[in-house]
C-alpha cells in the first residue's frame, strides 16, 4: 500500500510539532509512505490504515478493531493488545525527518479500583527499541481519553541522510477488571471517526 506523505529522510522520536522554527525546512515535493507490515492482536490485517497530510507536516493512523476488555465473560487474553506498524518513508534527496509529537485518542471505561495503560514506542530499523512512553489511568473513568508524547527539538532523532531505514511504531493497550463482576474496556478504534493517532513530522535539510 502506498500513501502520499511529506518529504524527507527518515527519523523517529517526538517533539513539539509544527513550530515555525523548522517550518521552512518542510520539502515542497510530495513523497510516499509504504506500509511494510502491520502486525499484532490489536491490528489484524486490513484493520489499520495510514493517511498523510497534503502539506507534509503529519500523518495519521486509523484502526477499526483496536480495543481491550477485562471482566465478566471476556476472553482472559483480551485485557492486553498491541499493534506494530512498520513504515518506509520514501523521501527526496536532501531531507531527513523525525517524529516530533504523537497524539492518541480513544474511549475508556474503568470502574473504581481498575486501571488502564496506553503505551507507545518508536524506533528505526537497526536502532534499540528504548523510546517507550507510558500513560496510565485510574478508575473510575468513563469518557474519551487523549494523550500526547513530545520530545524537545534538540533531542529529536532524525533519519540518516541518504539511507533508507524503516520506522517502527509499536502501541499497546491494557486494562484491569477492578472488583469482582465489573467490566473494563479501552479503545483506540476509529469506527466512529473520533479516535485516531496523529504523528507530527519535524524536517531538516541534509548538508
Amino acid at each position: 500500500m502506498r500513501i502520499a506523505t511529506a518529504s524527507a529522510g527518515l527519523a523517529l522520536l517526538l517533539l513539539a510539532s509544527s513550530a515555525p522554527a523548522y517550518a521552512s525546512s518542510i520539502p515542497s515535493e510530495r513523497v510516499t509512505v509504504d506500509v511494510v507490515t502491520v502486525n499484532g492482536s490489536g491490528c489484524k490485517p486490513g484493520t489499520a490504515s495510514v493517511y498523510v497530510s497534503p502539506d507534509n507536516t503529519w500523518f495519521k493512523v486509523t484502526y477499526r478493531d483496536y480495543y481491550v476488555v477485562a471482566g465478566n465473560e471476556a476472553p482472559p487474553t483480551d485485557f492486553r493488545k498491541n499493534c506494530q506498524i512498520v513504515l518506509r518513508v520514501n523521501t527526496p534527496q536532501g531531507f531527513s525527518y523525525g517524529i516530533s509529537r504523537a497524539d492518541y485518542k480513544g474511549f475508556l471505561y474503568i470502574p473504581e479500583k481498575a486501571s488502564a495503560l496506553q503505551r507507545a514506542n518508536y524506533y528505526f530499523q537497526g536502532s534499540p527499541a528504548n523510546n517507550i512512553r507510558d500513560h496510565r489511568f485510574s478508575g473510575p473513568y468513563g469518557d474519551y481519553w487523549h494523550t500526547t508524547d513530545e520530545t524537545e527539538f534538540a533531542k529529536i532523532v532524525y533519519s540518516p541522510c541518504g539511507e533508507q531505514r524503516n520506522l517502527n511504531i509499536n502501541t499497546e493497550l491494557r486494562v484491569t477488571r477492578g472488583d469482582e463482576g465489573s467490566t473494563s474496556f479501552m479503545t483506540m478504534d476509529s469506527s466512529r471517526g473520533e479516535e485516531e493517532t496523529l504523528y507530527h513530522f519535524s524536517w531538516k535539510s541534509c548538508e
Side-chain angles (χ1 to χ4, degrees):
M1 168 165 57
R2 290 180 73 83
I3 303 165
T5 181
S7 75
L10 169 49
L12 83 97
L13 267 127
L14 318 153
L15 151 61
S17 68
S18 45
Y22 37 94
S24 59
S25 298
I26 298 174
S28 58
E29 179 184 346
R30 297 289 297 279
V31 300
T32 60
V33 171
D34 296 328
V35 180
V36 181
T37 58
V38 178
N39 292 307
S41 53
C43 55
K44 297 175 183 177
T47 63
S49 59
V50 179
Y51 171 79
V52 184
S53 68
D55 62 358
N56 296 339
T57 59
W58 53 263
F59 69 92
K60 67 180 178 180
V61 180
T62 57
Y63 305 92
R64 293 191 297 278
D65 195 28
Y66 198 173
Y67 69 92
V68 289
V69 58
N72 289 335
E73 299 181 3
T77 58
D78 278 5
F79 80 98
R80 174 189 177 276
K81 291 185 180 179
N82 74 294
C83 179
Q84 174 169 305
I85 297 181
V86 180
L87 301 176
R88 182 169 58 247
V89 178
N90 305 298
T91 60
Q93 271 192 327
F95 287 95
S96 179
Y97 81 83
I99 302 299
S100 65
R101 169 175 168 156
D103 292 296
Y104 299 90
K105 295 180 181 180
F107 189 84
L108 173 64
Y109 175 80
I110 47 176
E112 191 173 357
K113 299 182 182 179
S115 62
L117 168 72
Q118 180 261 318
R119 170 174 291 174
N121 187 17
Y122 319 84
Y123 62 96
F124 287 111
Q125 178 184 7
S127 300
N130 57 5
N131 185 38
I132 298 173
R133 308 294 181 95
D134 285 350
H135 296 277
R136 301 179 185 275
F137 303 84
S138 298
Y141 188 100
D143 204 345
Y144 288 100
W145 60 270
H146 177 200
T147 63
T148 297
D149 295 334
E150 292 186 83
T151 298
E152 299 174 25
F153 178 70
K155 295 182 179 180
I156 295 179
V157 177
Y158 289 87
S159 59
C161 289
E163 294 185 26
Q164 184 62 269
R165 300 273 187 89
N166 289 340
L167 175 63
N168 297 272
I169 299 176
N170 294 325
T171 57
E172 179 181 328
L173 300 179
R174 294 187 199 179
V175 291
T176 63
R177 182 182 62 185
D179 287 331
E180 186 74 26
S182 64
T183 300
S184 301
F185 66 90
M186 185 178 195
T187 74
M188 201 153 70
D189 182 307
S190 302
S191 59
R192 291 183 298 275
E194 298 102 342
E195 300 100 339
E196 57 193 22
T197 62
L198 196 65
Y199 300 90
H200 303 256
F201 287 117
S202 177
W203 298 98
K204 73 173 184 177
S205 298
C206 296
E207 295 296 332

